[in-house]
Amino acid sequence: MKRRVILVLACLIAVGALCGCGARQPDTSLPKLLIGSDTYPPYVYMDDNGDITGLDVELAREAFRRMGYEAEFTSIDWERKKALVDAGEIDCIWGCFSMNGREEDYRWAGPYMVSRQVVAVNRHSDIQAIEDLAGRSIAVQATTKPEELFLTRPTDDIPEVKAVFSLEDRSVQYAALESGYVDAIAAHEEAITQYMEDYGADFRFLAPPLLTAGIGVAFSNNDTRGLAGELTKTLAEMRQDGTMLAIVSKYIEHPESYLEVETLGR
């Protein structure tokens, strides 16, 4: 039977950083909006100087600047994200956050990008396709879409695995796979690709993707400030004037395919 195992590990794996050179500096004279996120390269991470940066950080700073705010990021327990935003402890959740299946849980801005949730195995694994995961083990980050998919199996396309290891710290997935502790991992394609580039890991993606999702910015359903609607318009303007493409291209190859939000739902 499937089981959900929560692993609490004291040792964290260092997360590689890409240079976010050329980013606009925040205007500290503006009122702040506190954004909750966790470390998820290339979207949000710490650079070599210990400063928070990344694709979503640059997008947030530019979008909120245009709206008359300063974006300030804070690291949160990802499993408590909804409780934190509903309690007003943070203004929104921003960090490669999939909207699919959560449309009614939050007041959304977006989608502003497309992301594919994928399964990866070690290069020489005998697992060749998604269906080969039947009876195997997989590691996922807790409260993410891959966890939901493998625990609930909403379609027959998701095989019944032997064990789902739900990890508090997303980065531990990679060590678990490289060491052979699990047979596969599942996460956003860009995040796994970034890890392989940073640490020389030799993983292989299985076809097809688990899910092609729109990613957005989540506000509480109790939020009456109108920020979600205003941010959606601002992000659309950034797409039209080329700002979004310029930012995304600094972090992801072939950025155009990640900006095709009009294809979602087809």
Side-chain angles (χ1 to χ4, degrees):
M1 294 179 64
K2 292 180 294 184
R3 55 195 176 95
R4 184 178 187 270
V5 183
I6 301 296
L7 301 183
V8 181
L9 301 180
C11 296
L12 304 181
I13 296 174
V15 179
L18 291 174
C19 178
C21 301
R24 185 191 297 272
Q25 294 301 308
D27 183 349
T28 56
S29 67
L30 298 175
K32 290 183 172 63
L33 287 177
L34 189 60
I35 301 169
S37 190
D38 67 349
T39 301
Y40 206 81
Y43 290 89
V44 183
Y45 61 92
M46 304 295 286
D47 66 15
D48 293 337
N49 297 318
D51 297 321
I52 195 162
T53 189
L55 189 164
D56 275 342
V57 176
E58 287 202 44
L59 289 178
R61 285 175 175 163
E62 174 61 18
F64 281 137
R65 183 196 65 80
R66 295 186 183 195
M67 292 167 56
Y69 297 95
E70 178 191 352
E72 179 179 342
F73 277 76
T74 186
S75 180
I76 62 171
D77 178 347
W78 195 247
E79 295 186 51
R80 297 188 61 240
K81 55 188 176 292
K82 190 173 191 307
L84 292 171
V85 76
D86 284 344
E89 296 187 37
I90 55 176
D91 288 294
C92 63
I93 306 162
W94 196 331
C96 195
F97 194 15
S98 299
M99 298 173 62
N100 297 54
R102 303 184 176 108
E103 289 86 351
E104 304 304 318
D105 295 339
Y106 302 94
R107 193 181 299 273
W108 287 96
Y112 62 92
M113 283 182 64
V114 174
S115 182
R116 288 176 287 276
Q117 299 274 7
V118 297
V119 174
V121 297
N122 282 312
R123 175 67 60 183
H124 301 296
S125 170
D126 62 347
I127 299 173
Q128 300 298 321
I130 296 289
E131 56 264 29
D132 296 336
L133 291 171
R136 304 295 188 98
S137 61
I138 189 165
V140 297
Q141 185 180 12
T143 74
T144 60
K145 292 303 293 185
E147 179 193 57
E148 176 187 328
L149 291 173
F150 279 101
L151 288 176
T152 65
R153 297 184 60 230
T155 70
D156 291 337
D157 294 333
I158 307 296
E160 185 170 1
V161 298
K162 178 177 65 176
V164 177
F165 291 89
S166 297
L167 307 171
E168 289 188 20
D169 176 18
R170 167 202 56 81
S171 64
V172 178
Q173 294 178 95
Y174 307 122
L177 179 57
E178 288 188 285
S179 66
Y181 188 77
V182 296
D183 297 302
I185 60 174
H188 287 279
E189 180 181 33
E190 312 89 89
I192 299 176
T193 299
Q194 186 66 59
Y195 180 86
M196 289 193 290
E197 292 178 359
D198 289 342
Y199 295 98
D202 195 14
F203 301 152
R204 171 169 49 84
F205 294 133
L206 302 183
L210 281 176
L211 176 71
T212 299
I215 58 176
V217 184
F219 294 80
S220 173
N221 279 325
N222 302 321
D223 195 321
T224 60
R225 294 173 291 178
L227 292 173
E230 187 177 355
L231 180 56
T232 295
K233 293 178 182 178
T234 302
L235 291 170
E237 292 170 359
M238 290 170 59
R239 181 187 308 280
Q240 292 169 0
D241 65 23
T243 302
M244 187 172 293
L245 178 61
I247 291 174
V248 175
S249 65
K250 294 167 60 176
Y251 297 92
I252 298 178
E253 291 186 4
H254 313 296
E256 296 85 356
S257 63
Y258 295 93
L259 298 179
E260 296 174 348
V261 295
E262 66 277 359
T263 66
L264 291 167
R266 291 184 182 177

